[in-house]
Amino acid sequence: MTVTAVVAAGMALLAIAPASAGTTLGASAAEKGRYFGTAVAANKLSDNTYVTILNREFNSVTAENEMKWNATEPQQGQFSHTNGDRIVNHGRQRGMLVRGHALLWHQQQPGWAQNMSGSALRSAAINHVTQVATHYRGKIHSWDVVNEAFADGTGGGRRDSNLQRTGNDWIEAAFRAARAADPGAKLCYNDYNTDGINAKSTGIYNMVRDFKARGVPIDCVGIQSHLTNTVPGDYQANIQRFADLGVDVQITELDITGSNQANVYASVVRSCLAVARCTGITVWGIRDSDSWRTGQNPLLFDNSGNKKAAYTSTLNALNSGGTPVPTTPGTNPTTPPPPSTPPPTSGPGGCTATMFLNSWTGGFVATVRVTAGASAITSWRVTITLPSGAAVTNAWSATNTGTTGTTQWANVSYNGTVAAGQTTEFGFQGTGTATGPSPTCTAS
Ligand code: 9MR
């Protein structure tokens, strides 16, 4: 399957609501065009009670710790994806979406990165983003590209960290690298204490607005929502103002302590359902005993895996009301992101090629779809004439001749054969601007 086909298969999840629609968290959310997910710990995938609830109730998973920098790159340049892969495979085999968490964060860095600074750290960090996002390319619904980079308190500014000290543009550099590595994933900024309209959430709001204005690739904002017995009165208004910037909002790490827990869960769900671009909710663990908030019982299932009152109020809230997620491409998890869709260009030899672009100031990722005509083909060649100033820097799933001007692309060993009417894809990344070119395709 091509990368895009894999993405499309993953994205199709919410269209296939299970038979038990309305009786589980995931099915009820799916009926509203949304997902309901949980953080998962790989070492609990052998716990029968845990897995039974996970498989029954949730249609999205987030690795609680397994995709963090210390877990994925314990030594510089040596990557370890075993535990992250376990969670991804468990989820995808059951049709769940996968949230990636988190490419860059000031916490849970490996020791070698903690000891770095300046341009060496910047390169190591961007390489980390590229390598990890590439490893999971086509499998991740949304990535928390940068986590918790804003300071608490009244200033609304960035948190000091070794990453921040590499330059204020480290966040946009990370988002650009993530987009280039996995053009199909939604790219999120994720943070806590951003539940209401406050200095910190406003700082993030201003960053997102600036990114959107300058074409820095960002698709979503994660509002963690670690709450204590109450939710800010302007929670929904805060979600709405981010949505109004043209990004999705996801509730990414929900847990709620206190005696008012059941009501607050319902309130959070209602707020998300009321905003069309609030596309999913993730709770930060399954049973109270799985929570990082030890002894505070902030989750939906008790230590034995029984449903709590908060579970029932959450399910009821999911089953009532809400604004449908729009079906415009790119605005929800049921539809793939929105590359420009030029008409396919006919070639003389039994194939057509269509190019999709994700562009930002100074760079682009192109995905080229090759479609066989009325008969099967066994090899194909695509010609793309790039505008002046555009240059290919790297490519996948095809070999190329030329990096500027007229570029020629040929199939690699595994994707030359395409059945009649079927497609395969290749891609490349480049600097400059690539808008405009229409590829031509010849086949044999
Ligand atoms: O739940 C995670 C816990 O197991 C880890 O020990 C902790 C390490 O910092 O991170 C927890 O998850 C955090 C998440 O990655 C980011 N937002 C705050 C979460 C709770 O601390």
Side-chain angles (χ1 to χ4, degrees):
M1 218 186 313
T2 64
V3 166
T4 298
V6 170
V7 173
M11 306 265 174
L13 155 78
L14 296 179
I16 318 161
S20 55
T23 62
T24 67
L25 301 168
S28 296
E31 288 193 328
K32 298 287 159 62
R34 292 165 172 88
Y35 66 81
F36 203 99
T38 180
V40 167
N43 65 8
K44 292 178 183 161
L45 289 175
S46 51
D47 175 331
N48 198 38
T49 305
Y50 183 88
V51 171
T52 299
I53 301 170
L54 169 61
N55 294 352
R56 186 187 70 217
E57 296 288 344
F58 298 97
N59 58 8
S60 172
V61 288
T62 305
E64 186 172 3
N65 289 296
E66 292 77 354
M67 292 190 195
K68 293 172 181 175
W69 198 350
N70 60 349
T72 51
E73 195 181 359
Q75 305 297 325
Q76 187 169 13
Q78 293 178 18
F79 292 85
S80 169
H81 296 298
T82 310
N83 286 326
D85 287 349
R86 286 176 65 198
I87 294 171
V88 169
N89 293 338
H90 184 98
R92 284 172 55 78
Q93 282 162 7
R94 291 160 181 81
M96 301 175 184
L97 301 180
V98 182
R99 296 195 80 262
H101 173 81
L103 291 170
L104 291 179
W105 188 23
H106 65 282
Q107 282 185 31
Q108 286 182 275
Q109 293 182 1
W112 62 266
Q114 291 175 33
N115 293 328
M116 288 178 93
S117 62
S119 58
L121 174 62
R122 172 66 73 90
S123 320
I126 296 303
N127 182 57
H128 178 77
V129 170
T130 299
Q131 299 295 331
V132 176
T134 299
H135 174 80
Y136 286 113
R137 181 149 66 102
K139 297 180 177 173
I140 300 293
H141 171 265
S142 301
W143 263 115
D144 291 332
V145 178
V146 169
N147 193 41
E148 301 177 7
F150 276 72
D152 293 306
T154 55
R158 300 282 182 87
R159 168 195 301 282
D160 179 55
S161 72
N162 58 346
L163 289 165
Q164 182 62 30
R165 289 191 292 272
T166 71
N168 204 52
D169 62 343
W170 72 277
I171 297 182
E172 60 194 83
F175 274 80
R176 288 196 166 103
R179 177 69 97 226
D182 186 354
K186 285 179 181 275
L187 305 182
C188 305
Y189 175 82
N190 189 48
D191 216 325
Y192 68 92
N193 280 355
T194 53
D195 314 302
I197 296 176
N198 57 36
K200 186 174 179 181
S201 63
T202 299
I204 295 163
Y205 175 87
N206 290 335
M207 178 186 76
V208 174
R209 188 173 55 184
D210 170 57
F211 279 13
K212 295 297 279 186
R214 290 191 294 114
V216 177
I218 185 166
D219 308 303
C220 37
V221 169
I223 297 179
Q224 293 184 10
S225 307
H226 295 293
L227 300 172
T228 302
N229 210 36
T230 185
V231 61
D234 51 9
Y235 187 72
Q236 184 178 319
N238 190 40
I239 295 172
Q240 185 69 58
R241 73 170 173 157
F242 279 105
D244 290 345
L245 288 177
V247 289
D248 290 348
V249 176
Q250 303 178 16
I251 310 304
T252 50
E253 303 183 16
L254 181 63
D255 51 18
I256 304 166
T257 62
S259 57
N260 201 27
Q261 178 180 67
N263 290 330
V264 182
Y265 264 105
S267 177
V268 166
V269 170
R270 281 194 299 268
S271 292
C272 180
L273 291 185
V275 179
R277 288 198 79 150
C278 184
T279 59
I281 298 174
T282 297
V283 287
W284 206 240
I286 296 178
R287 299 161 302 195
D288 285 332
S289 49
D290 300 317
S291 174
W292 68 293
R293 300 172 83 172
T294 309
Q296 297 182 53
N297 302 327
L299 294 174
L300 300 177
F301 296 86
D302 70 16
N303 295 355
S304 306
N306 300 310
K307 296 170 181 173
K308 295 166 57 179
Y311 171 92
T312 307
S313 67
T314 298
L315 185 66
N316 290 343
L318 284 169
N319 282 333
S320 58
T323 303
V325 173
T327 51
T328 314
T331 57
N332 75 8
T334 65
T335 51
S340 58
T341 49
T345 322
S346 293
C351 60
T352 55
T354 310
M355 188 160 108
F356 304 92
L357 278 175
N358 263 308
S359 302
W360 59 90
T361 309
F364 63 90
V365 167
T367 303
V368 183
R369 180 175 300 159
V370 174
T371 305
S375 355
I377 58 177
T378 55
S379 70
W380 46 262
R381 296 176 73 82
V382 172
T383 302
I384 301 169
T385 303
L386 295 173
S388 111
V392 176
T393 53
N394 65 305
W396 50 92
S397 303
T399 57
N400 68 305
T401 313
T403 57
T404 58
T406 301
T407 60
Q408 305 270 2
W409 303 83
N411 62 276
V412 287
S413 60
Y414 57 83
N415 63 5
T417 299
V418 184
Q422 298 302 298
T423 63
T424 188
E425 290 187 351
F426 68 94
F428 58 94
Q429 185 180 347
T431 52
T433 306
T435 42
S438 299
T440 57
C441 188
T442 56
S444 58

